[in-house]
Amino acid sequence: MTRRAVEDGFETYLSDLVDETYAAFDVAAVLRGSRSGGSRAASKLLKNSDPLERHVVRPKLREYQRTILHQFDPVLDYAADTEASFEAYEDEVLARDLYWNALRPSVRGERRDAIRRRLLDRQRAFGDALVPLVAADSDDFWAAVVEAYDYDEAVDVVEEHFEFSTPLRDERDAFAFELEIDPGEVLGGLARALPSLTVEFTDEAVRSMRRAEQRVIPQAKADAERAFGD
């Protein structure tokens, strides 16, 4: 299967996941729960959450989408490389990993090492699961899936590797996801005099991503059922 076909197949569901995460994301809850929640800037933004979602939240989620696709590249390289071990790709995989780059500086020592290993093991498992898909002859994504796996194996791949929130749910306090908000850029006018805010949205990321996964994963499984039923 061509590399582009594999990427396109997963990008379709990742795009859906980002759209559903955006739909579920409650930026007002993030502002109210932040340390800056009582500031003038936060109060002004709370009254204008729609432009904040459009100008800050959606671009941030699209940035994460690009990051996940970027980290997918070395995993796909590993899946296509029948001669190399995963260790040859570990540094690049980790350097691109969304969660590793969001690790709090306070996470050190044995816990940091354990999280590093779990993140790498997760990516290695994904690469191993992709090996038969990359080797399939068809350039149609679902036709290649049918060639590479049986139905139960395909569902296992969807359930395990389309849950992007797993590291965040398992180690919620280890990661910090933040929004940088310039009220002037969002609201214009007199808001340009207000200071910028940095607000953490880790808890809301867990909630909204999980909600998105509960919509996208069943859809992917339904697509698998149709593919194997044809």
Side-chain angles (χ1 to χ4, degrees), residues 110-127:
E110 291 183 359
R111 189 183 183 196
R112 177 185 171 90
D113 292 341
I115 289 173
R116 177 184 181 276
R117 189 69 261 159
R118 281 198 294 273
L119 292 175
L120 285 171
D121 287 347
R122 176 178 171 81
Q123 298 285 27
R124 179 175 188 161
F126 190 22

Side-chain angles (χ1 to χ4, degrees), residues 135-167:
D137 288 333
S138 177
D139 284 341
D140 175 81
F141 179 75
W142 280 109
V145 169
V146 171
E147 179 184 335
Y149 313 114
D150 61 31
Y151 173 73
D152 290 337
E153 289 170 337
V155 169
D156 286 344
V157 170
V158 169
E159 290 181 338
E160 182 172 356
H161 298 294
F162 284 22
E163 281 198 353
F164 294 100
S165 68
T166 299

Side-chain angles (χ1 to χ4, degrees), residues 42 48 59-60 62 64 87 102 110 130 152 168 173-174 217 223:
N48 297 273
K60 189 67 173 180
R62 290 301 177 196
Y64 287 155
E87 285 73 17
E110 291 183 359
L130 289 174
D152 290 337
L168 190 55
D173 65 330
I217 290 174
D223 292 343

Side-chain angles (χ1 to χ4, degrees), residues 23-223:
F25 196 93
D26 187 349
V27 69
V30 172
L31 287 172
R32 285 193 297 266
S34 74
R35 289 190 296 271
S36 303
S39 70
R40 285 183 59 215
S43 298
K44 189 79 170 177
L45 289 163
L46 272 169
K47 297 175 183 177
N48 297 273
S49 60
D50 287 346
L52 180 59
E53 289 177 352
R54 290 195 304 272
H55 294 293
V56 178
V57 176
R58 179 171 283 277
K60 189 67 173 180
L61 293 178
R62 290 301 177 196
E63 176 188 326
Y64 287 155
Q65 179 181 359
R66 291 190 294 272
T67 298
I68 293 171
L69 288 172
H70 187 55
Q71 75 183 41
F72 182 48
D73 283 341
V75 175
L76 195 55
D77 288 340
Y78 162 68
D81 187 348
T82 59
E83 301 298 327
S85 67
F86 185 74
E87 285 73 17
Y89 292 91
E90 283 189 346
D91 289 345
E92 186 176 4
V93 167
L94 201 64
R96 300 185 185 206
D97 192 279
L98 174 67
Y99 289 109
W100 184 251
N101 287 307
L103 193 69
R104 296 181 189 273
S106 59
V107 178
R108 300 174 182 170
E110 291 183 359
R111 189 183 183 196
R112 177 185 171 90
D113 292 341
I115 289 173
R116 177 184 181 276
R117 189 69 261 159
R118 281 198 294 273
L119 292 175
L120 285 171
D121 287 347
R122 176 178 171 81
Q123 298 285 27
R124 179 175 188 161
F126 190 22
D128 289 341
L130 289 174
V131 169
L133 184 61
V134 172
D137 288 333
S138 177
D139 284 341
D140 175 81
F141 179 75
W142 280 109
V145 169
V146 171
E147 179 184 335
Y149 313 114
D150 61 31
Y151 173 73
D152 290 337
E153 289 170 337
V155 169
D156 286 344
V157 170
V158 169
E159 290 181 338
E160 182 172 356
H161 298 294
F162 284 22
E163 281 198 353
F164 294 100
S165 68
T166 299
L168 190 55
R169 288 186 285 115
D170 290 346
E171 298 275 0
R172 183 179 304 206
D173 65 330
F175 306 102
F177 290 89
E178 296 178 333
L179 290 172
E180 301 289 337
I181 306 173
D182 182 339
E185 289 185 2
V186 176
L187 304 175
L190 297 176
R192 292 188 175 89
L194 296 174
S196 295
L197 301 177
T198 300
V199 296
E200 184 175 328
F201 65 98
T202 309
D203 288 344
E204 184 59 19
V206 174
R207 190 196 68 80
S208 57
M209 286 177 67
R210 191 62 186 139
R211 180 74 61 86
E213 288 166 351
Q214 289 167 350
R215 293 179 177 272
V216 173
I217 290 174
Q219 180 59 57
K221 290 166 68 175
D223 292 343

